[in-house]
Amino acid sequence: MADWASRLREWGVETALPFWSERAWDKRFGGFLESLSLDGQPVTGDTRRVRTQARQIYVFARAHHAGWSDGLDLAVEGFELLERRAHAPDGTPGWVHTLTASGEIESPARDLYDHAFILLALSWLHRVTHDSHYRQLADEILIYLDTHLTRPQGGYAEAIGAAQLPRRQNPHMHLFEALLAWYDATGDQTFLTRIEAIYQLFSTRFLDRDAGVLYEFFDADWQVTADPAGAVVEPGHEVEWIWLLHAYRDHGASVDETILEFLHAHGTGIGRNRGTGCLVATVRPDGQTLDAGSRTWMQTEWLRAAAARQRAGHRSAGTELETVCDLLFRHHLDPAIPGGWIDQIDASGHRVADRMPASTLYHVLGAVVDAHRADTEVAESAAKVL
């Protein structure tokens, strides 16, 4: 375990974070760039997704909290600029969906996925600064979701001012993650109540226990859409839910172990490309592959799931961690400029990506955090033996 963990932690802390600290910020207009070229140069003129801004704020705030980066000023400045540009700039509540490169509103839609990541960013800003302004903004977002996006069938509408169908599990998964972060930061039980509501939606609507799969798309009543396109499974999300549910269980929640097992079995079994070894993008519930290509984030989430399983006592997880870490480096990290990644490969393992999306850094940091945790636990165990 220490080998994979030390390798990934060293790459993340010593190479990736300094690389992105120097290149992530738009020196002309301010804010975080959407992507870099494969040789590490800024890609300018792209639409700026609010979720990407929030993810980068989270990265630099959390890295500062861990003592790996002096990027707190970058996180704070990034949020101040985002708040000015995207927080109700048109006079209506909520945060807009996208901005132009120079900071004007491009899409005024209110998107659940965006708000989930703003909440995540706010949780870490609050944790490292103890500034009550961040908690006030988080409470405001939750009131906004309750008032404008809550739906009687359960959960939240995916958007206001944009397509509301199909309904999707993914934004709710990230809201689950953000609420866990807020509970960790504050200990406020009201966050656990909200988390439990999403868990109930997950376990009764998103999951098909008979088929042993997690669905992505639904109609307005949370039924898998009749169109065959609705019966889509993303193995990357199946494994992402594994570590999230382990984190929830660590807070004393009751999580059905059979759910964790069939998510792992399907995600890393049917959901795996036999040629590259990586998780594939999408499959049918019966295992028919729809897109056998892969992206960096899928392997980082698989690694986090394996790390959670190891902490829970699964004996095979140590070997799995070595395997996933090797796949991550072989296909995505080693072929790239130091500190970057080849974000997408095709079914044969050939490079598809022509740039490095900045939003992937959020996923990468999560894997580095778990690598550091594993390395620390090994060192502590060795010290006890001595």
Side-chain angles (χ1 to χ4, degrees), residues 49 73 98 104 150 169 296 349 383:
R49 295 177 297 169
D73 288 346
T98 60
E104 290 78 31
T150 299
Q169 73 80 22
T296 305

Side-chain angles (χ1 to χ4, degrees), residues 115-179:
H115 285 77
F117 276 104
I118 295 166
L119 281 170
L120 183 65
L122 286 167
S123 73
W124 283 93
L125 286 169
H126 179 268
R127 185 178 296 199
V128 298
T129 67
H130 307 291
D131 187 336
S132 62
H133 178 62
Y134 300 126
R135 175 62 191 266
Q136 292 167 1
L137 286 174
D139 289 341
E140 178 187 300
I141 287 175
L142 293 172
I143 291 170
Y144 174 73
L145 297 183
D146 290 345
T147 304
H148 296 277
L149 273 75
T150 299
R151 291 296 177 264
Q153 301 89 348
Y156 299 94
E158 277 63 28
I160 294 176
Q164 297 188 32
L165 291 176
R167 301 195 74 179
R168 294 176 287 136
Q169 73 80 22
N170 191 23
H172 292 80
M173 178 183 71
H174 288 298
L175 182 57
F176 185 94
E177 176 188 12
L179 293 169

Side-chain angles (χ1 to χ4, degrees), residues 226-283:
D227 184 335
V232 172
V233 177
E234 293 193 26
H237 287 155
E238 291 187 311
V239 296
E240 195 166 359
W241 267 109
I242 291 173
W243 72 259
L244 284 167
L245 293 174
H246 275 281
Y248 183 38
R249 191 163 66 177
D250 289 344
H251 292 308
S254 177
V255 176
D256 188 341
E257 184 67 27
T258 60
I259 291 176
L260 297 169
E261 289 306 304
F262 74 60
L263 285 174
H264 182 262
H266 192 271
T268 65
I270 292 173
R272 193 171 176 185
N273 182 316
R274 300 305 172 190
T276 65
C278 296
L279 295 190
V280 302
T282 53
V283 297

Side-chain angles (χ1 to χ4, degrees), residues 33-163:
L33 295 163
E34 270 290 324
S35 61
L36 301 177
S37 66
L38 294 181
D39 61 357
Q41 299 304 306
V43 176
T44 59
D46 284 350
T47 291
R48 300 286 172 83
R49 295 177 297 169
V50 164
R51 68 188 61 171
T52 300
Q53 302 300 304
R55 284 186 175 194
Q56 295 293 73
I57 293 162
Y58 153 82
V59 163
F60 291 110
R62 185 162 192 178
H64 173 84
H65 182 267
W68 299 337
S69 167
D70 58 359
L72 181 58
D73 288 346
L74 193 59
V76 170
E77 183 179 356
F79 187 81
E80 289 175 349
L81 186 61
L82 181 64
E83 185 177 6
R84 289 200 303 272
R85 291 175 170 177
H87 181 215
D90 50 4
T92 57
W95 296 65
V96 300
H97 182 44
T98 60
L99 302 167
T100 66
S102 56
E104 290 78 31
I105 299 173
E106 184 174 274
S107 169
R110 273 41 172 180
D111 186 276
L112 178 62
Y113 196 110
D114 300 335
H115 285 77
F117 276 104
I118 295 166
L119 281 170
L120 183 65
L122 286 167
S123 73
W124 283 93
L125 286 169
H126 179 268
R127 185 178 296 199
V128 298
T129 67
H130 307 291
D131 187 336
S132 62
H133 178 62
Y134 300 126
R135 175 62 191 266
Q136 292 167 1
L137 286 174
D139 289 341
E140 178 187 300
I141 287 175
L142 293 172
I143 291 170
Y144 174 73
L145 297 183
D146 290 345
T147 304
H148 296 277
L149 273 75
T150 299
R151 291 296 177 264
Q153 301 89 348
Y156 299 94
E158 277 63 28
I160 294 176

Side-chain angles (χ1 to χ4, degrees), residues 341-382:
W341 40 78
I342 302 301
D343 194 63
Q344 187 173 6
I345 58 174
D346 66 16
S348 300
H350 298 131
R351 187 186 79 194
V352 175
D354 62 354
R355 60 184 62 188
M356 292 183 285
S359 59
T360 302
L361 186 57
Y362 146 80
H363 291 283
V364 170
L365 181 72
V368 172
V369 166
D370 275 1
H372 173 71
R373 179 176 180 179
D375 233 6
T376 301
E377 289 171 352
V378 168
E380 290 173 348
S381 297

